[in-house]
Each structure stands twice: as structure tokens, then as C-alpha cells.
């Protein structure tokens, strides 16, 4: 079943990418689940970039080529970077952002000249003229307010031990903590005890994570005398104090691996620099590889570690205790195996997708790599999924702004890889064999549907408690999957709503990420926008008094029965009393709560029955359906498209999509409409601006889906036709 859906995803993506081909047969054999697009910067090394005017976005701006920059994904989806190395001698001290909506770089602050001294100002006092001295390979974190933090780094001579915060709203840097002197030694203090005099000292090339507890963590890296550390530190941004959490205080430790895949308080990874770090969706930290040559001369590491923040224990999960060079075992592309390994390498880039898979791109082994790997944290297997299986191997820029299955970034390490929305990471710069880059690539990952819904059985709507105004409206090809004009859409975190017909492209609304959390989102355009249209709609009434109105074939999220782990609850929803609900509401008010995605499924509105539960994402509660009615609306039909592909309508979580029975497939297929770069390039074809009625792009899908259905009939996949 899963395999079949996989092919549909591929099929649709490829058809769209090659755009308009009708030879479905050739396309079916393709394996394109990963597609790169070169969207900016130079296709040669050593570019001097273009600063433009400070503070002014411009599509002709681009940062000079660099590697080892510290980077952050802003709370508003804006991508940030600071500093980096220009060569093996000189360092940058400039702050840049890249706006995914305008497709342009802005030189925000800091010096445009190399090796600038910076301005510390007074410790703890923000000031427009403050900025950190130029540096590379710092550690970075963002706090829950979206402010950008950095610690340490070096200028190829001396290491820093200063903590800085950049306030995104005020545009001011603050020297928050640590010393304005270089090459400071660590001060550990007692284990687990936080103090203003503790400091990791001069550090660069460290691994860093933000915990779900909003604490910043830092592991190892290089220190003042070039030593490699194996210590773990915690920084509390609320009181600006460090505490030493674990690992060795000695430089160059050989680690304590313990028993393979067994957690222990005495385990810790060997000292290293240039490791790759991830935080998975459950809040656990992962650490891979890096350079251990200082510890045991002559080699790189390939070990993968898990750190559990609550138990404070490390577990050696994969790889070996040895050091080595290269040693990758690729296996067959796309096929997981317990014998696969990316091999010994350092300075790879990582990110986590919405299904909690770890991704590893490139690195130095010590030749530069451009392979893409996944690590499944359940099966504990590596898979080589994309890119070249040699070092300093093949690559192709393709045409600027054109997605192609032959585009592949040049091999590199020390690159920036922003995780934009757990699905479409953006790659910038890095160091390769021929030199240093400032190119920008997007990576599209076609995520398969985890649990495809069964094909719908239309017409039967069980237990509608009342039937008012039933009119058999003509519902045929191109039937609408929309909301009526007066449906209300949640537009901010304060609970404000706007009538759906009043939304405009670019407006802020609340979306919902793959973990069921409310996120700031925006209207990218319309899948359907037709004032005055008439259609039959369902009004689904819930116990809490909400009424969701939408067309029959729109996707809505239903809690899967007997699932007992919804938002961490152990009680089935039907047993929750009003009072318990209120208690849960208070307990679960924290944004960090996440939905177990296997607890919900996207189904057609017409499949919802009395007794099913919809999702009130604001309250983090299931909301049981008490009645379903059929109505007719005469005021028009609206279906906005958001970046997350989800929105909150009439208080309930819904998908932006309909007609096709899988949210994930629709989301994948409409990817070009969500990626601003592509939306612009294919603007007229996508038609998300100023359209009336059905978006032309969505209409085109109808034809693609029907031809796909013909090819796949023997597979008995019910490909439900047409978008609205
Ligand atoms: C790329 O896509 C084209 C057109 O769909 C297909 O013919 C070709 O086999 C694909 N190439 C690779 C390397 O997958
Ligand atoms: C680099 O890009 C330019 C402009 O897009 C193109 O003319 C040139 O052929 C490209 N060079 C390489 C090596 O791809
Ligand atoms: C953007 O930069 C280009 C090249 O430097 C310049 O010609 C143009 O006027 C700039 N546009 C804006 C809006 O500043
Ligand atoms: C990004 O661009 C959009 C559209 O122009 C704008 O509204 C937004 O403020 C920009 N964000 C930043 C941080 O500059
Ligand atoms: C900010 O820095 C400037 C230049 O160093 C200084 O003149 C000014 O007094 C500072 N302002 C504050 C509020 O500290
Ligand atoms: C950031 O700046 C804004 C606007 O000046 C201010 O309201 C906010 O308190 C600042 N945040 C921090 C953490 O200093
Ligand atoms: C470093 O900080 C100390 C204490 O805040 C201050 O006295 C000194 O002038 C600073 N030095 C530089 C170079 O900023
Ligand atoms: C832990 O830190 C606190 C406050 O900094 C200090 O009073 C206390 O003595 C420390 N504990 C130990 C065991 O050093
Ligand atoms: C990861 O492995 C588990 C167990 O083998 C499997 O059920 C799951 O589908 C895999 N995840 C992905 C994204 O392939
Ligand atoms: C790399 O991939 C190619 C083609 O898939 C294959 O022929 C070759 O044996 C692979 N080499 C290694 C080292 O895996
Ligand atoms: C690529 O897209 C960017 C952003 O929209 C645009 O500035 C640039 O002109 C495009 N270049 C080409 C060759 O299409
Ligand atoms: C049925 O629809 C008509 C036309 O919109 C409306 O005037 C009437 O009030 C509706 N009746 C009910 C019971 O909702």
C-alpha cells in the first residue's frame, strides 16, 4: 500500500517538474523523491558577493563566498547567518538575512570588511553600534522569542568565549555573557551547578542544540590550545549562566562508549570538533562523527550518539569506536540497511524532517561529499538517498531557478543548511575542493504518506441529526473543495479570526505544523476563490459548540479511535469530562506539546460521523462531533493555500486540500506553489494571484490525476479526481 502511494507522489512530482508531458509511462520508472534547485549565488567558487545597501533587501545582493557561518531559522521563516571563513586566514563579521517571501538577501549589520574588531559595548546593554568581532565556526541557538544567540568561534588565531544575542525586533546586539578576551580556559564548577563564573571558555566547531526546555546546549569542539573537548554544557538564557552537565573535563578524552545501544550515566562521546547535531521531534539530541584526530591522530569519526535530556544519559547508537578515513558503505540508493554508513567524516550538515528522520548532507571524509543520507531513529538504519557516492564527485547546477532531477550541489563541508519547515531545507555556501561557495539551493523532499486513507465511500452520511435545506447542487467534475464565505479563520496566536472571504494573498494566518502545533503562517494564494458561488456544504457540530462548514470532499483531521497518545493524553477522548478537559487545557497550554501524528488521519468531511473527534488545536483537545447537517451556501466558495498546508477554520484543524484523499500527496504536489522561488518562476502557470474560480494549476492536476488513474488501474488505487 505504502509503495503504491510512493509511486504516485513520484509520478505527480515528476510530471509537474517536466511540466506538461503526457507520456506517463517513462515517468513512472523515475526515482525522484529528492529534487534540488539552484536559486541564487554564483556557480563558481570565491565569489565576492554583493553587499548592496545595509538594511535594504535587493535580489541582486548576495553574501561573499564563505564556510563555517553560524546560522538560524528565524521565527518568521526568515533565514539568518553571521560570519564565517573567507579562506583559511580571514573571517567575516557580517550579519545577513534571506527573506523567503521576497527571495532577497539583506546585509543587516556588522562590518563589510574582513577581520573587523567588533564593538562589545557594555555587558548586558543592547546598543545599535554593538556587534561581535569577525569570526567563524561559532555555536548558535534561537530562543523562544526568535532572538538569535551565538557563542564563541575563532578567527583562525584565537578562540572567543563571549555570548551574544541579536534582538530581531530591535536590530541590536547585546554582549550578554562571557569574556571579551580571547583564549580563555574553561571553568567547570560542580557538575550540574549553574553559576555566573562557569564558562566553557574559548570554543569553536562545537555541536549545539536548543532543548524543548528552552535551554541551550553545547558539546565539545576545539578550545584555546587546539584541544578537542568531550564535555556537555547547558546555558540558561533566563539567567545567563552556564552549567557543566557531563562528559570529561580533560581535553582530548577518548570517551566512554559503554555498551552499544545502552544508555548509561557514565557514557559520553570521545572529544571531537566538526560533529553534526540534530534535535529530533521528541526533543532528544543526536550527534554524529566529527574530527577526533587530536585525540587519536589521523582520523575522523563515524559514531552516532543519542542524548536524552531528561535522564541526562548518552547512548552510542551506531558506527564504531574507531577513527578512520572515508569508509562509507553506500549500499543501494534508497534502500535502508544495517550495514550502511556514511563513513568517517566531519562538518556535515543535518536537519530533521516532519516524520522524525535525521538527514545528513555532505561533509569532509576528508574529500568533500555531496551525498544525502537518512537515519531512521526507529529502525536505526542509514540510507543513502541522493547525491554522488564518491568524494569530490559529480555535480550539476542546472539552470537557475529550474528544478531538475539532474541538479546536484557541488561537494562541500561547513555549509549552512536551514531547516525551513521540516520539509524544504535551503543550502548555502561551504568549502569544496576547488574553493568556497556562495550558492543557494533548495531541496525538495517528497515525503510519502505514512498511512493513506481508504478511498471514500461517498453518499452515505450516517446519523445526520437534522437535515436542513438539502438541495442537490450539480456536483461533478471540478467540484469545489472549499469553505463558505463566512467561515472564520484563525489569524494569530491571540485567538483573533477573520472571515475567509476577507483573506488576501500575503496575509498572516495561523498554520499548523506536522506535529500539530500552531505556527505563524501566511496565505500564499487561492486554490479556489469564487464569490457568489452556490454549493452544498456540510455543517459539522462539535460538543464544544463549534460548527465547521465545508464541502464534502475537503480534508479534515479526525482522531483515530482507540489512539491513547493524543497530545500525550492517556485517556481516550470520549471519557474526558468537561472538568477534566479544563484541567487538560491548562496542563497542555504549553506550545511545546506536540501531537502524535499517528493519532490523527486526514479524511473527507463526508466521512466524518457523529462520535468522531475533530481537533481543536488551540486548546490541544479532541472535540467530539455531536451532529452533522447539510446546508447550501449561496455566498461563494473559498480555499486558501498556506505554507503549512493546514489552517484553523471555525476553530478546527483542517487541511488546505480536498478531493484527493491524501493530504500528504496534495501537499507534495502543490509544493511549487508553496516555495516562493518556484511560485515566482512559474507564477502564471500556478496562478495563485488574482484568480477567480479554480486555480489553473490545481485544474491541471485533474488531468494528471486522471491519467495516473488509468495507468494504475490494475493497482486498484482509487485516485480521486480533480482539485477544486
Ligand atoms: C529525470 O527525469 C526524466 C524525465 O522524467 C527521466 O526520463 C530520467 O530518467 C530522470 N533521470 C534520473 C537520473 O532519474
Ligand atoms: C554558470 O552560470 C552562468 C549563468 O547562469 C552560465 O552562463 C554558465 O555556463 C554557468 N557555468 C557553469 C560552469 O555551470
Ligand atoms: C538593487 O541593486 C541593483 C544593483 O546594485 C540596483 O541597480 C537597484 O537599483 C537596486 N534596487 C533597489 C530597489 O535598491
Ligand atoms: C520578508 O518579506 C515580506 C514581504 O515583503 C515582508 O512582509 C517581511 O517583513 C520581510 N521580513 C523581514 C524579516 O524582512
Ligand atoms: C551606544 O554606543 C555608542 C557608541 O559606542 C555610545 O556613544 C552610546 O552612549 C551607547 N548608548 C547606550 C545607551 O549605551
Ligand atoms: C527586543 O527588542 C524589543 C523592541 O525593542 C523589546 O521590546 C524586547 O524586550 C527586546 N527583547 C529582549 C529579549 O531584549
Ligand atoms: C572588556 O571588558 C572589560 C570589562 O567589561 C572592560 O573594562 C574592557 O574595556 C573591555 N575591553 C574591550 C577591548 O572591550
Ligand atoms: C551551586 O551554586 C550555588 C549558587 O551559585 C552555590 O551557592 C552552591 O554552593 C553551589 N554548590 C556547590 C556544591 O558548589
Ligand atoms: C523507520 O523504520 C520503522 C521501523 O522499521 C518503519 O516503521 C518506518 O516506516 C521507518 N520510517 C520511515 C520514514 O521510513
Ligand atoms: C556508486 O554508485 C554507482 C552507480 O550507482 C555504482 O556503480 C558504484 O559501484 C557505487 N560505488 C560505491 C563505492 O558504492
Ligand atoms: C531567479 O529568481 C530570482 C528571484 O525571483 C530572480 O531575481 C532572478 O531573476 C531569477 N533568475 C532567472 C534566470 O530566472
Ligand atoms: C434555506 O435556504 C434559503 C436560501 O438561502 C434560506 O433563505 C432559508 O432560510 C434556508 N432555510 C433554512 C431552514 O436554513
Amino acid at each position: 500500500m505504502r509503495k503504491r502511494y510512493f509511486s504516485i507522489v513520484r509520478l505527480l512530482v515528476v510530471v509537474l517538474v517536466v511540466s506538461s508531458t503526457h507520456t506517463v509511462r517513462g515517468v513512472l520508472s523515475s526515482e525522484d523523491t529528492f529534487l534540488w534547485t539552484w536559486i541564487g549565488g554564483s556557480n563558481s567558487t570565491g565569489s565576492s558577493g554583493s553587499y548592496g545597501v545595509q538594511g535594504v533587501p535587493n535580489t541582486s545582493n548576495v553574501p561573499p563566498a564563505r564556510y563555517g557561518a553560524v546560522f538560524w531559522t528565524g521565527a518568521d521563516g526568515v533565514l539568518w547567518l553571521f560570519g564565517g571563513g573567507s579562506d583559511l586566514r580571514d573571517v567575516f563579521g557580517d550579519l545577513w538575512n534571506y527573506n523567503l517571501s521576497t527571495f532577497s538577501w539583506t546585509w543587516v549589520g556588522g562590518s563589510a570588511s574582513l577581520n573587523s574588531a567588533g564593538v562589545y559595548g557594555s555587558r548586558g546593554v543592547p546598543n545599535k553600534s554593538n556587534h561581535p568581532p569577525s569570526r567563524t565556526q561559532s555555536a548558535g541557538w534561537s530562543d523562544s522569542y526568535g532572538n538569535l544567540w551565538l557563542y564563541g568561534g575563532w578567527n583562525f588565531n584565537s578562540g572567543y568565549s563571549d555570548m551574544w544575542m541579536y534582538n530581531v525586533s530591535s536590530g541590536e546586539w547585546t554582549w550578554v555573557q562571557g569574556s571579551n578576551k580571547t583564549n580563555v580556559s574553561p571553568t567547570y564548577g560542580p557538575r550540574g551547578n549553574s553559576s555566573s563564573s562557569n564558562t566553557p571558555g574559548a570554543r569553536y566547531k562545537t555541536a549545539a542544540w536548543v532543548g524543548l526546555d528552552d535551554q541551550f546546549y553545547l558539546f565539545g569542539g576545539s578550545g584555546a590550545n587546539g584541544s578537542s573537548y568531550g564535555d556537555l554544557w547547558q546555558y540558561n538564557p533566563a539567567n545567563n549562566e552556564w552549567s557543566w552537565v557531563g562528559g570529561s573535563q580533560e581535553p582530548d578524552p577518548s570517551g566512554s562508549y559503554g555498551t552499544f545501544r545502552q544508555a548509561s550515566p557514565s557514557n559520553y562521546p570521545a572529544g571531537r570538533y566538526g560533529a553534526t547535531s540534530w534535535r529530533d521531534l521528541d526533543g532528544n539530541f543526536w550527534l554524529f562523527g566529527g574530527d577526533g584526530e587530536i585525540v587519536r591522530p589521523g582520523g575522523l569519526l563515524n559514531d552516532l550518539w543519542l542524548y536524552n535530556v531528561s535522564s541526562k544519559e548518552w547512548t552510542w547508537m551506531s558506527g564504531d569506536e574507531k577513527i578512520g578515513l572515508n569508509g562509507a558503505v553506500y549500499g543501494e540508493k534508497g534502500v535502508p540497511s544495517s550495514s550502511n554508513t556514511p563513513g568517517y567524516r566531519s562538518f556535515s550538515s543535518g536537519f530533521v524532517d516532519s516524520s522524525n528522520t535525521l538527514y545528513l548532507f555532505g561533509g569532509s571524509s576528508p574529500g568533500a561529499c555531496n551525498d544525502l543520507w537518512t537515519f531512521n531513529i526507529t529502525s536505526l538504519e542509514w540510507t543513502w538517498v541522493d547525491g554522488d557516492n564518491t568524494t569530490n564527485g559529480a555535480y550539476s547546477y542546472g539552470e537557475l531557478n529550474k528544478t531538475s532531477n539532474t541538479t546536484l550541489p557541488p561537494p562541500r563541508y561547513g555549509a549552512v543548511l536551514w531547516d525551513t519547515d521540516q520539509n524544504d531545507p535551503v543550502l548555502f555556501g561551504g568549502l569544496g575542493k576547488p574553493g568556497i561557495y556562495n550558492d543557494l539551493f533548495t531541496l525538495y523532499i517528497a515525503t510519502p504518506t505514512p498511512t493513506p486513507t481508504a478511498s471514500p465511500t461517498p453518499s452515505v452520511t450516517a446519523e445526520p441529526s437534522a437535515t436542513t435545506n438539502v438541495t442537490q447542487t450539480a456536483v461533478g467534475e471540478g467540484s469545489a473543495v472549499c469553505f463558505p464565505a463566512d467561515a472564520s479563520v484563525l489569524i494569530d496566536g491571540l485567538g483573533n479570526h477573520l472571515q475567509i472571504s476577507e483573506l488576501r494573498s500575503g496575509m498572516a494566518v495561523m498554520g499548523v505544523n506536522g506535529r500539530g502545533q500552531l505556527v505563524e503562517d501566511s496565505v500564499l494564494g487561492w486554490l479556489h476563490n469564487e464569490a457568489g458561488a452556490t454549493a452544498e456544504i456540510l455543517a459539522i457540530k462539535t460538543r464544544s459548540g463549534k460548527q465547521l462548514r465545508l464541502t464534502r470532499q475537503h480534508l479534515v483531521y479526525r482522531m483515530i479511535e482507540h489512539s491513547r497518545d493524543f497530545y500525550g493524553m492517556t485517556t481516550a477522548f470520549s471519557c474526558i469530562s468537561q472538568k477534566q478537559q479544563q484541567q487538560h487545557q491548562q496542563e497542555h497550554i504549553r506550545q511545546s506539546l506536540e501531537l502524535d501524528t499517528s493519532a490523527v488521519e486526514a479524511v473527507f468531511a463526508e466521512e466524518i460521523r457523529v462520535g468522531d473527534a475533530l481537533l481543536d488545536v488551540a486548546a490541544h483537545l479532541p472535540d467530539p462531533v455531536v451532529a452533522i447537517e447539510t446546508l447550501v451556501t449561496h455566498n461563494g466558495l473559498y480555499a486558501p493555500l498556506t505554507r503549512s498546508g493546514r489552517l484553523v477554520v471555525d476553530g478546527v484543524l483542517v487541511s488546505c486540500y480536498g478531493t484527493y484523499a491524501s493530504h500528504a500527496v496534495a501537499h507534495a504536489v502543490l509544493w511549487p506553489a508553496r516555495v516562493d522561488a518556484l511560485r515566482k518562476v512559474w507564477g502564471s502557470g500556478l496562478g495563485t494571484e488574482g484568480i477567480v474560480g479554480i486555480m489553473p494549476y490545481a485544474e491541471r492536476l485533474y488531468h494528471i490525476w486522471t491519467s495516473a488513474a488509468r495507468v494504475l488501474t490494475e493497482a486498484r488505487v482509487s485516485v480521486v479526481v480533480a482539485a477544486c
Side-chain angles (χ1 to χ4, degrees):
M1 195 66 183
R2 177 168 311 147
K3 192 137 201 182
R4 237 175 272 142
Y5 274 82
F6 227 106
S7 349
I8 297 170
V9 177
R10 267 186 218 143
L11 169 74
L12 294 172
V13 168
V14 174
V15 167
L16 293 165
V17 166
V18 300
S19 182
S20 86
T21 174
H22 292 283
T23 51
V24 173
R25 184 181 301 271
V27 165
L28 269 175
S29 63
S30 167
E31 300 276 315
D32 302 313
T33 343
F34 303 91
L35 293 167
W36 293 95
T37 313
W38 171 36
I39 61 163
S42 173
N43 58 358
S44 56
T45 57
S47 163
S48 56
S50 169
Y51 278 86
V53 180
Q54 187 172 339
V56 181
N58 189 325
T59 50
S60 27
N61 294 346
V62 57
R66 65 188 67 204
Y67 69 102
V70 55
F71 59 95
W72 309 263
T73 301
D76 47 6
V78 173
L79 313 178
W80 295 82
L81 69 79
F82 176 83
S86 159
D87 45 34
L88 299 174
R89 249 191 357 260
D90 302 303
V91 284
F92 290 101
D94 47 0
L95 179 69
W96 289 83
N97 74 34
Y98 185 77
N99 190 327
L100 282 167
S101 343
T102 58
F103 215 42
S104 51
W105 285 103
T106 306
W107 167 37
V108 176
S111 176
S113 47
L114 290 165
N115 310 319
S116 88
V119 178
Y120 279 88
S122 311
R123 187 147 61 179
V125 183
N127 190 320
K128 273 262 188 277
S129 49
N130 291 351
H131 60 96
S134 295
R135 62 188 68 200
T136 184
Q137 290 159 324
S138 308
W141 306 267
S142 28
D143 65 21
S144 48
Y145 305 102
N147 296 318
L148 319 178
W149 296 68
L150 74 77
Y151 180 80
W154 69 319
N155 58 18
F156 294 124
N157 294 312
S158 332
Y160 294 100
S161 55
D162 45 358
M163 180 71 88
W164 289 83
M165 186 200 62
Y166 181 77
N167 183 327
V168 170
S169 359
S170 70
E172 290 174 326
W173 281 105
T174 307
W175 167 33
V176 176
Q177 200 269 355
S179 174
N180 57 1
K181 296 193 186 69
T182 56
N183 296 340
V184 170
S185 304
T187 302
Y188 285 90
R191 182 166 170 161
N193 200 356
S194 122
S195 150
S196 59
S197 54
N198 292 348
T199 173
R203 286 299 167 110
Y204 47 99
K205 306 175 183 173
T206 54
W209 307 263
V210 182
L212 288 180
D213 53 5
D214 293 333
Q215 301 288 299
F216 304 161
Y217 292 82
L218 178 147
F219 175 81
S222 298
N225 47 9
S227 300
S228 288
Y229 286 94
D231 49 0
L232 183 69
W233 290 84
Q234 177 183 345
Y235 181 86
N236 183 351
N239 67 7
N240 297 312
E241 288 181 355
W242 283 105
S243 46
W244 167 55
V245 182
S248 177
Q249 293 193 1
E250 296 305 315
D252 305 327
S254 50
S256 174
Y257 281 68
T259 309
F260 191 53
R261 293 186 180 164
Q262 217 164 296
S264 158
S266 57
N267 290 351
Y268 71 92
R272 67 191 66 206
Y273 62 88
T276 306
S277 51
W278 302 262
R279 185 187 81 188
D280 71 24
L281 302 178
D282 304 314
N284 297 313
F285 301 161
W286 295 81
L287 180 84
F288 170 78
D291 201 323
E293 67 174 340
I294 305 287
V295 185
R296 287 164 295 178
L300 302 165
L301 298 154
N302 73 352
D303 50 351
L304 181 73
W305 288 83
L306 168 67
Y307 182 76
N308 181 320
V309 181
S310 345
S311 70
K312 300 191 182 351
E313 287 176 336
W314 285 104
T315 312
W316 167 33
M317 298 300 288
S318 177
D320 55 48
E321 289 184 73
K322 300 199 282 277
I323 50 165
L325 299 175
N326 203 315
V329 178
Y330 282 90
E332 200 181 325
K333 194 183 267 188
V335 180
S337 159
S338 54
S339 51
N340 289 348
T341 168
Y344 306 97
R345 60 174 81 188
S346 57
F347 299 109
S348 305
S349 307
F351 86 102
V352 178
D353 79 3
S354 55
S355 62
N356 223 358
T357 298
L358 313 184
Y359 283 74
L360 180 92
F361 174 75
S364 164
S365 80
C369 305
N370 63 352
D371 46 0
L372 183 69
W373 290 81
T374 60
F375 185 79
N376 181 327
I377 64 172
T378 310
S379 68
L380 307 178
E381 287 172 328
W382 284 104
T383 310
W384 167 43
V385 294
D386 190 47
D388 198 78
N389 62 357
T390 56
T391 56
N392 304 318
Y395 65 89
S396 164
Y397 278 90
E399 256 180 83
L400 192 61
N401 297 342
K402 277 260 172 66
T403 304
S404 148
N405 62 1
T406 54
T407 298
L408 179 66
R412 65 190 66 203
Y413 52 97
V416 168
L417 189 71
W418 289 287
D419 178 359
T420 57
D421 62 356
Q422 297 171 352
N423 199 39
D424 310 316
V426 176
L427 178 77
F428 170 78
L431 175 61
K433 193 174 179 220
I436 299 172
Y437 297 97
N438 75 340
D439 48 7
L440 196 63
F441 286 88
T442 60
L443 170 63
Y444 165 64
I445 298 167
T447 318
T449 320
T451 35
T453 343
S455 52
T457 37
S459 74
V460 199
T461 309
E463 308 180 60
S465 65
T467 311
T468 31
N469 256 344
V470 182
T471 312
Q472 217 34 60
T473 333
V475 186
E477 238 183 50
S479 76
V481 289
C482 302
F483 305 95
D486 58 346
S488 77
V489 175
L490 183 66
I491 57 166
D492 59 28
L494 307 171
N496 290 312
H497 291 80
L498 199 63
Q499 197 167 308
I500 204 160
S501 59
E502 287 169 6
L503 292 178
R504 298 288 173 267
S505 211
M507 272 188 186
V509 292
M510 292 311 278
V512 179
N513 67 15
R515 301 290 287 178
Q517 297 168 309
L518 286 172
V519 290
E520 285 175 11
D521 204 337
S522 58
V523 177
L524 298 175
W526 294 97
L527 293 174
H528 196 126
N529 181 336
E530 196 175 6
T534 295
E536 184 194 70
I537 54 170
L538 298 176
I540 302 173
K541 299 185 171 175
T542 67
R543 186 193 287 172
S544 74
K546 297 187 179 66
Q547 176 171 282
L548 171 67
R549 289 154 310 147
L550 74 180
T551 52
R552 286 175 171 277
Q553 299 222 328
H554 201 105
L555 291 171
V556 35
Y557 289 89
R558 173 172 69 186
M559 182 185 171
I560 295 172
E561 237 175 307
H562 311 305
S563 172
R564 289 174 181 267
D565 199 24
F566 172 74
Y567 282 127
M569 272 183 241
T570 47
T571 328
F573 67 88
S574 49
C575 311
I576 300 173
S577 70
Q578 287 281 46
K579 192 165 169 232
Q580 281 172 317
Q581 280 204 9
Q582 277 168 10
Q583 281 167 359
H584 279 299
Q585 209 153 339
Q586 277 154 15
E587 282 166 29
H588 295 277
I589 205 84
R590 289 203 41 187
Q591 277 289 317
S592 66
L593 271 183
E594 290 177 350
L595 174 69
D596 171 2
T597 40
S598 67
V600 289
E601 58 187 347
V603 297
F604 286 135
E606 67 186 4
E607 290 182 77
I608 297 289
R609 301 287 180 267
V610 168
D612 285 348
L614 305 183
L615 300 180
D616 180 338
V617 274
H620 284 125
L621 282 172
D623 199 357
V625 172
V626 294
I628 302 169
E629 299 174 6
T630 312
L631 309 168
V632 170
T633 179
H634 299 281
N635 297 332
L637 291 171
Y638 299 85
L641 176 65
T642 62
R643 192 181 299 278
S644 65
R646 302 179 189 88
L647 69 172
V648 181
V649 172
D650 295 331
V652 176
L653 170 65
V654 296
S655 164
C656 287
Y657 312 115
T659 308
Y660 186 73
S662 158
H663 171 87
V665 170
H667 197 60
V669 164
L670 282 160
W671 165 72
R674 288 180 291 115
V675 173
D676 301 80
L678 301 178
R679 202 149 43 96
K680 287 203 172 166
V681 177
W682 299 352
S684 55
L686 295 171
T688 52
E689 297 301 327
I691 56 142
V692 174
I694 302 164
M695 173 179 160
Y697 180 81
E699 202 169 20
R700 264 211 333 258
L701 292 180
Y702 165 74
H703 299 289
I704 294 162
W705 275 329
T706 42
S707 31
R710 241 179 286 123
V711 173
L712 296 169
T713 36
E714 83 288 348
R716 292 215 220 106
V717 175
S718 171
V719 179
V720 187
V721 295
C724 72

